[in-house]
Amino acid sequence: MRILVTGGAGFIGSNFIRLLVKEHPDWHITNFDKLTYAGSQRNLADIESHINYEFVKGDIADQEDVESVFAGGFDYVVNFAAETHVDRSLYDPQIFFKTNVLGTQILLERAIKMGVGKFMQISTDEVYGSIKPPDYADESYPLNPSSPYAASKASADLLVNSYYKTHGLPIVITRTCNNYGAYQFPEKIIPFFIFKALNDERLPVYGDGSNIRDWIFVEDNCKALLAILRQGNTGEIYNISGDMMISNLELTKAILANLDKPDELVTFVKDRPGHDLRYAINASKIKRELGWNPRVNIEDGLAKTIEWYKNNLDWCRSVCSSEYREFYDIHYKDRQ
Ligand code: NAD
Ligand code: TYD
């Protein structure tokens, strides 16, 4: 089996490749990644010498790069490559549409030409927008994205579906809730707050911290993705939930408690514009059809994650490039 994983040097992609190597050591894995500020080959240092793994640097939004990497053909394509941070999409939206929409279209076009067996698009619960209680969004819920990031992901989902309807490309779309775990870039709330707390710095909670997210341990998500890749029905969408909905303030206090740091480190800052209040998905389809369930609860997952970051402070320093720091310093002043 030959599999192309785009964006495999990022957080979820690298965890997914690690799972693939464990579960399917005979599959030939090509990791195709532009290595933006969010991607690093250090995330896969432990498997880079695996005989069936190769890394190719390239951009999914560059036709020549994509044609070149597809030369030998693939049985599976899994598209993780994306710009992923909502806050950055507020200040610099164009790259989100270039990578997340145009890049996906270039991959789809190539996948048709090369007769790919299955194209799996990695999407997000953010495409549904903020969900009012008591609703939970199932896979047929209307798309109502709020941020440019979410709008770009929703656009890509529609595009992927159009290649199924028009060209019969065997696709599947996954929509997962917020992931956490090892190798997550420290701009996202959990690793960001772990580092702040370890340094006794203030943790900037947006608004009043009542926004609710559903959290899944990344290894649980990767198992769900692999199950969908192997057994998911063509043309279908699968929601993936961690069954763990908590507010940002509760989450922040759990991080502080684990690190034995005082709640006084919490500081409420100006809210994120268009900040979705509540993400809530109904993920009964994957449980019913594929028998997958999340296994790691938030207490254990958070403890494991915090332990990993404490033991990998060098990793954090090395991935936080000057490009990332400059962007952060310019745009996030009011959130420090
Ligand atoms: P990430 O930001 O950690 O990694 C993204 C990777 O994509 C990086 O390695 C980056 O270098 C690469 N990349 C970016 N632009 C590229 C391009 N033009 N060509 C090739 N590679 C490029 O992201 P993540 O958190 O691992 O998310 C992976 C996917 O999962 C994304 O599609 C995201 O929308 C989706 N997702 C993430 C979450 C989450 O909580 N992190 C939840 C649901 C869905
Ligand atoms: P984030 O990790 O950026 O993921 P997403 O926006 O994709 O859900 O943010 C998760 C939640 O945490 C979101 O409601 C915004 C909030 N947040 C803060 O309150 N402070 C922060 O410094 C960050 C980065 C996020």
Side-chain angles (χ1 to χ4, degrees):
M1 205 60 87
R2 287 174 55 83
I3 179 166
L4 174 68
V5 178
T6 71
F11 165 47
I12 308 175
S14 61
N15 277 283
F16 183 72
I17 288 177
R18 196 168 286 105
L19 177 67
L20 279 183
V21 166
K22 190 168 152 235
E23 295 281 316
H24 295 289
D26 54 323
W27 287 12
H28 187 274
I29 305 163
T30 301
N31 176 8
F32 180 68
D33 196 297
K34 187 179 168 186
L35 297 181
T36 67
Y37 79 96
S40 169
Q41 288 196 77
R42 280 193 67 163
N43 296 356
L44 284 166
D46 53 330
I47 64 115
E48 68 189 357
S49 57
H50 176 63
I51 189 158
N52 283 325
Y53 170 77
E54 67 166 338
F55 176 78
V56 177
K57 186 166 187 229
D59 183 347
I60 61 166
D62 182 309
Q63 195 140 340
E64 278 180 22
D65 283 0
V66 171
E67 280 179 21
S68 158
V69 77
F70 264 86
F74 293 102
D75 302 294
Y76 292 144
V77 174
V78 183
N79 182 27
F80 289 95
E83 289 292 335
T84 62
H85 196 202
V86 172
D87 288 330
R88 288 175 76 97
S89 81
L90 309 177
Y91 303 112
D92 188 11
Q94 200 166 39
I95 187 68
F96 283 73
F97 289 87
K98 186 172 180 210
T99 290
N100 301 2
V101 184
L102 178 64
T104 300
Q105 188 268 329
I106 289 174
L107 287 175
L108 288 163
E109 202 60 36
R110 210 63 214 153
I112 285 285
K113 295 223 165 64
M114 299 300 288
V116 162
K118 196 169 206 173
F119 185 104
M120 186 156 91
Q121 173 68 5
I122 306 300
S123 188
T124 164
D125 63 354
E126 301 197 26
V127 297
Y128 301 118
S130 201
I131 309 287
K132 283 208 180 82
D135 278 10
Y136 285 80
D138 67 9
E139 288 82 356
S140 62
Y141 206 79
L143 301 184
N144 188 20
S146 303
S147 68
Y149 162 67
S152 71
K153 294 298 290 186
S155 307
D157 285 10
L158 297 179
L159 194 56
V160 171
N161 200 36
S162 79
Y163 272 73
Y164 170 64
K165 286 185 175 166
T166 308
H167 299 293
L169 182 69
I171 63 97
V172 68
I173 297 172
T174 66
R175 293 183 180 149
T176 312
C177 62
N178 284 62
N179 283 234
Y180 68 101
Y183 299 101
Q184 185 165 34
F185 193 82
E187 65 188 348
K188 306 282 166 56
I189 188 169
I190 290 183
F192 185 51
F193 281 9
I194 293 171
F195 285 112
K196 289 267 178 203
L198 284 172
N199 291 319
D200 294 310
E201 289 171 10
R202 293 188 164 278
L203 277 45
V205 172
Y206 298 166
D208 62 5
S210 62
N211 306 68
I212 290 171
R213 296 291 181 269
D214 176 359
W215 291 96
I216 188 169
F217 190 57
V218 65
E219 293 175 17
D220 271 341
N221 179 37
C222 289
K223 286 177 189 159
L225 298 178
L226 188 53
I228 295 168
L229 184 67
R230 287 190 298 219
Q231 304 152 43
N233 290 319
T234 299
E236 296 286 320
I237 299 169
Y238 291 90
N239 284 348
I240 307 169
S241 157
D243 289 338
M244 185 44 64
M245 288 169 60
I246 54 170
S247 73
N248 291 341
L249 190 55
E250 286 172 289
L251 174 69
T252 305
K253 287 186 175 173
I255 294 170
L256 288 170
N258 180 293
L259 290 168
D260 212 11
K261 300 284 181 180
D263 284 356
E264 285 67 45
L265 285 181
V266 171
T267 177
F268 296 101
V269 299
K270 196 171 145 195
D271 208 355
R272 172 189 276 174
H275 196 177
D276 283 329
L277 195 52
R278 176 176 176 265
Y279 292 149
I281 49 175
N282 174 341
S284 55
K285 177 172 170 177
I286 183 175
K287 294 178 182 173
R288 194 176 58 245
E289 290 187 9
L290 306 184
W292 171 91
N293 277 286
R295 298 277 171 220
V296 181
N297 64 40
I298 189 88
E299 290 78 22
D300 294 347
L302 210 48
K304 272 189 181 181
T305 304
I306 290 173
E307 199 51 31
W308 187 87
Y309 279 96
K310 277 188 186 163
N311 293 330
N312 287 278
L313 292 170
D314 274 0
W315 171 87
C316 178
R317 284 182 208 108
S318 80
V319 297
C320 285
S321 60
S322 53
E323 178 202 345
Y324 162 71
R325 283 178 195 282
E326 269 167 38
F327 190 92
Y328 188 87
D329 288 345
I330 293 168
H331 294 292
Y332 296 179
K333 278 206 165 56
D334 56 345
R335 303 210 179 141
Q336 293 179 50

